[in-house]
Coordinates of all heavy atoms in Angstrom, one line a residue:
T1115 N -48.4 -55.4 -86.8 CA -48.4 -54.0 -86.3 C -48.1 -53.0 -87.4 O -47.0 -53.0 -88.0 CB -47.5 -53.8 -85.1 OG1 -47.8 -54.8 -84.1 CG2 -47.5 -52.5 -84.4
L1116 N -49.1 -52.1 -87.6 CA -48.9 -51.1 -88.7 C -48.6 -49.7 -87.9 O -49.2 -49.4 -86.9 CB -50.1 -50.9 -89.5 CG -50.6 -52.2 -90.2 CD1 -51.9 -52.0 -90.9 CD2 -49.5 -52.6 -91.3
M1117 N -47.6 -49.0 -88.4 CA -47.2 -47.8 -87.9 C -47.5 -46.6 -88.8 O -47.2 -46.7 -90.1 CB -45.6 -47.7 -87.6 CG -45.1 -48.9 -86.8 SD -45.8 -49.0 -85.1 CE -45.1 -47.6 -84.4
V1118 N -48.2 -45.6 -88.3 CA -48.5 -44.5 -89.2 C -47.6 -43.3 -88.8 O -47.4 -43.0 -87.6 CB -50.0 -44.1 -89.0 CG1 -50.3 -42.7 -89.7 CG2 -51.0 -45.1 -89.3
Q1119 N -46.8 -42.8 -89.8 CA -45.8 -41.8 -89.6 C -46.2 -40.6 -90.3 O -46.6 -40.6 -91.6 CB -44.4 -42.3 -90.0 CG -44.0 -43.5 -89.2 CD -42.8 -44.2 -89.8 OE1 -42.3 -43.7 -90.9 NE2 -42.2 -45.2 -89.1
L1120 N -46.1 -39.4 -89.7 CA -46.4 -38.1 -90.3 C -45.3 -37.1 -90.1 O -44.9 -36.9 -88.9 CB -47.7 -37.6 -89.8 CG -48.4 -36.4 -90.3 CD1 -48.8 -36.7 -91.9 CD2 -49.6 -35.8 -89.6
E1121 N -44.7 -36.6 -91.2 CA -43.7 -35.6 -91.0 C -44.1 -34.3 -90.5 O -43.5 -33.7 -89.5 CB -43.0 -35.3 -92.3 CG -42.1 -36.5 -92.9 CD -41.4 -36.2 -94.2 OE1 -41.4 -34.9 -94.5 OE2 -40.9 -37.0 -94.8
E1122 N -45.2 -33.8 -90.9 CA -45.7 -32.5 -90.4 C -47.3 -32.6 -90.3 O -47.9 -33.4 -91.0 CB -45.4 -31.3 -91.4 CG -44.0 -31.0 -91.4 CD -43.7 -29.8 -92.3 OE1 -44.7 -29.3 -92.9 OE2 -42.6 -29.4 -92.5
G1123 N -47.8 -31.8 -89.4 CA -49.2 -31.7 -89.3 C -49.7 -31.6 -87.8 O -48.8 -32.0 -86.9
D1124 N -50.8 -31.1 -87.6 CA -51.3 -30.9 -86.3 C -51.9 -32.3 -85.8 O -53.1 -32.6 -86.0 CB -52.5 -29.9 -86.3 CG -52.8 -29.6 -84.8 OD1 -52.5 -30.2 -83.9 OD2 -53.8 -28.7 -84.6
V1125 N -51.0 -33.1 -85.2 CA -51.4 -34.4 -84.9 C -52.5 -34.6 -83.8 O -53.1 -35.6 -83.7 CB -50.1 -35.3 -84.5 CG1 -49.1 -35.3 -85.6 CG2 -49.5 -34.7 -83.2
Q1126 N -52.6 -33.6 -82.9 CA -53.6 -33.7 -81.9 C -55.0 -33.5 -82.4 O -56.0 -33.8 -81.8 CB -53.2 -32.8 -80.8 CG -51.9 -33.1 -80.1 CD -51.9 -34.4 -79.4 OE1 -53.0 -34.9 -78.9 NE2 -50.7 -35.1 -79.3
R1127 N -55.1 -32.7 -83.5 CA -56.5 -32.3 -84.0 C -56.6 -32.9 -85.5 O -57.0 -32.2 -86.3 CB -56.6 -30.8 -84.1 CG -56.4 -30.2 -82.7 CD -56.3 -28.7 -82.8 NE -56.0 -28.2 -81.5 CZ -56.9 -27.4 -80.8 NH1 -58.1 -27.2 -81.3 NH2 -56.6 -26.9 -79.6
T1128 N -56.2 -34.1 -85.6 CA -56.3 -34.8 -86.9 C -57.0 -36.1 -86.9 O -56.9 -36.8 -85.9 CB -54.8 -35.1 -87.4 OG1 -54.0 -33.9 -87.5 CG2 -54.8 -35.8 -88.7
L1129 N -57.8 -36.3 -87.9 CA -58.7 -37.5 -88.0 C -57.9 -38.5 -88.8 O -57.5 -38.1 -90.0 CB -60.0 -37.2 -88.6 CG -60.9 -38.4 -88.9 CD1 -61.3 -39.1 -87.6 CD2 -62.2 -38.0 -89.7
I1130 N -57.7 -39.7 -88.3 CA -57.0 -40.6 -89.1 C -57.9 -41.9 -89.4 O -58.6 -42.4 -88.4 CB -55.7 -41.2 -88.3 CG1 -54.8 -40.0 -88.0 CG2 -55.0 -42.2 -89.1 CD1 -54.9 -39.5 -86.6
Q1131 N -58.0 -42.3 -90.6 CA -58.8 -43.4 -91.0 C -58.0 -44.4 -91.7 O -57.2 -44.1 -92.6 CB -60.0 -42.9 -92.0 CG -61.0 -42.0 -91.4 CD -61.9 -41.5 -92.4 OE1 -61.6 -41.1 -93.5 NE2 -63.3 -41.7 -92.1
V1132 N -58.0 -45.6 -91.2 CA -57.3 -46.7 -91.7 C -58.2 -47.8 -92.2 O -59.0 -48.4 -91.5 CB -56.3 -47.3 -90.6 CG1 -55.4 -48.5 -91.2 CG2 -55.4 -46.2 -90.1
D1133 N -58.0 -48.2 -93.5 CA -58.7 -49.3 -94.1 C -57.8 -50.5 -94.4 O -56.7 -50.3 -95.1 CB -59.3 -48.8 -95.4 CG -60.2 -49.9 -96.0 OD1 -60.1 -51.1 -95.7 OD2 -61.1 -49.5 -96.8
F1134 N -58.0 -51.6 -93.7 CA -57.1 -52.7 -93.8 C -57.2 -53.5 -95.1 O -56.3 -54.4 -95.4 CB -57.2 -53.7 -92.5 CG -57.0 -53.0 -91.3 CD1 -58.0 -52.6 -90.4 CD2 -55.6 -52.7 -90.9 CE1 -57.8 -52.0 -89.2 CE2 -55.4 -52.1 -89.7 CZ -56.5 -51.8 -88.8
G1135 N -58.2 -53.2 -95.9 CA -58.3 -53.9 -97.2 C -59.0 -55.2 -97.1 O -59.2 -55.9 -98.1
D1136 N -59.5 -55.6 -95.9 CA -60.2 -56.9 -95.8 C -61.6 -56.7 -95.3 O -62.2 -57.6 -94.7 CB -59.5 -57.8 -94.9 CG -59.3 -57.3 -93.5 OD1 -59.6 -56.0 -93.3 OD2 -58.9 -58.0 -92.5
G1137 N -62.0 -55.5 -95.6 CA -63.4 -55.1 -95.2 C -63.5 -54.5 -93.8 O -64.6 -54.2 -93.3
I1138 N -62.4 -54.3 -93.1 CA -62.4 -53.7 -91.8 C -61.6 -52.4 -91.9 O -60.6 -52.2 -92.5 CB -61.7 -54.6 -90.8 CG1 -62.5 -56.0 -90.7 CG2 -61.6 -54.0 -89.4 CD1 -61.7 -57.0 -89.8
A1139 N -62.2 -51.4 -91.2 CA -61.6 -50.1 -91.2 C -61.8 -49.5 -89.8 O -62.7 -49.8 -89.1 CB -62.2 -49.1 -92.2
V1140 N -60.8 -48.7 -89.3 CA -60.9 -48.0 -88.0 C -60.6 -46.5 -88.1 O -59.9 -46.1 -89.2 CB -59.9 -48.7 -87.0 CG1 -60.3 -50.1 -86.7 CG2 -58.5 -48.6 -87.5
S1141 N -60.9 -45.7 -87.2 CA -60.7 -44.3 -87.1 C -60.1 -44.0 -85.8 O -60.4 -44.5 -84.8 CB -62.0 -43.5 -87.4 OG -62.5 -43.8 -88.7
Y1142 N -59.2 -42.9 -85.9 CA -58.6 -42.4 -84.6 C -58.7 -40.9 -84.7 O -58.6 -40.2 -85.8 CB -57.1 -42.7 -84.6 CG -56.9 -44.3 -84.4 CD1 -56.8 -45.1 -85.5 CD2 -56.7 -44.9 -83.2 CE1 -56.6 -46.4 -85.4 CE2 -56.6 -46.2 -83.1 CZ -56.5 -47.0 -84.2 OH -56.3 -48.3 -84.1
V1143 N -58.8 -40.2 -83.5 CA -59.0 -38.7 -83.5 C -57.6 -38.0 -83.5 O -57.5 -36.9 -83.7 CB -59.8 -38.4 -82.3 CG1 -61.2 -38.9 -82.5 CG2 -59.3 -38.9 -81.0

Side-chain angles (χ1 to χ4, degrees):
T1115 303
L1116 300 172
M1117 310 296 295
V1118 176
Q1119 301 169 352
L1120 186 65
E1121 289 185 11
E1122 291 185 0
D1124 187 355
V1125 298
Q1126 297 296 331
R1127 300 167 185 253
T1128 298
L1129 176 65
I1130 302 100
Q1131 295 176 310
V1132 181
D1133 187 339
F1134 297 106
D1136 60 349
I1138 300 176
V1140 294
S1141 297
Y1142 297 87
V1143 294

